[in-house]
Amino acid sequence: MQVPTAAETEQVSEVFQVPERLAPTHNIPVCNLQLRGYLPQQLDFYADFAQRAAFHLGMPCSGTVPLPTQTSRWTVIKSPFVHKKSQENFERKTHKRLLQIKDAHPDVVDRWLRYLTINAPSGIGLRATRFDYEALKQ
């Protein structure tokens, strides 16, 4: 069994650190990415993955912003016929996170979104809002 070298140890420790971020230059938002899912641990893991992908593509990305959790409840009757008093209650919580991309080229944002949709795990939904800016006509 071999002892890992210092370079291999540094590469492994990068995984456990907070993802690196680039500072925005002009602070102009280009894309808002909303992540939705039922499991908050899986959602945070995928948000971390998206932040790391944005850093390696050279895009300034905000930190993960937790949005309000949406709770839906419903009641179902247990029996199909007479027994109205025996009911069962169910609840589902939808957790949401927001990432904001600033000062990036639209082609790079498209490539980042395509990469995220290809590598999205099951149970996580993505909603991207892109902002296109045009020059003023004189």
Side-chain angles (χ1 to χ4, degrees):
M1 187 165 154
Q2 293 179 338
V3 176
T5 63
E8 292 173 347
T9 308
E10 288 177 10
Q11 289 176 353
V12 171
S13 66
E14 287 178 3
V15 174
F16 297 107
Q17 294 176 357
V18 177
E20 298 180 48
R21 286 194 274 171
L22 296 173
T25 54
H26 303 293
N27 218 11
I28 298 172
V30 178
C31 178
N32 286 340
L33 179 68
Q34 192 179 82
L35 306 170
R36 295 176 177 207
Y38 301 123
L39 301 172
Q41 297 87 5
Q42 186 182 26
L43 200 61
D44 291 334
F45 180 79
Y46 190 67
D48 182 77
F49 172 76
Q51 283 180 338
R52 290 176 194 272
F55 173 76
H56 288 289
L57 286 173
M59 297 188 307
C61 181
S62 71
T64 305
V65 179
L67 298 175
T69 302
Q70 189 177 29
T71 305
S72 58
R73 295 184 179 104
W74 60 93
T75 304
V76 178
I77 300 173
K78 284 184 180 179
S79 72
F81 188 52
V82 185
H83 307 286
K84 169 78 171 146
K85 291 184 179 178
S86 63
Q87 296 179 350
E88 200 167 359
N89 296 320
F90 294 99
E91 176 181 271
R92 179 173 60 194
K93 292 186 177 184
T94 306
H95 302 275
K96 300 177 194 173
R97 304 287 186 267
L98 178 72
L99 294 175
Q100 190 174 45
I101 300 295
K102 297 180 178 180
D103 304 332
H105 194 272
D107 294 339
V108 179
V109 173
D110 287 340
R111 181 168 290 179
W112 178 67
L113 290 173
R114 201 173 321 120
Y115 179 72
L116 290 180
T117 54
I118 288 171
N119 294 308
S122 59
I124 290 193
L126 305 173
R127 177 181 287 172
T129 306
R130 293 186 47 225
F131 304 108
D132 292 329
Y133 298 98
E134 297 179 2
L136 293 175
K137 297 178 184 177
Q138 294 184 9

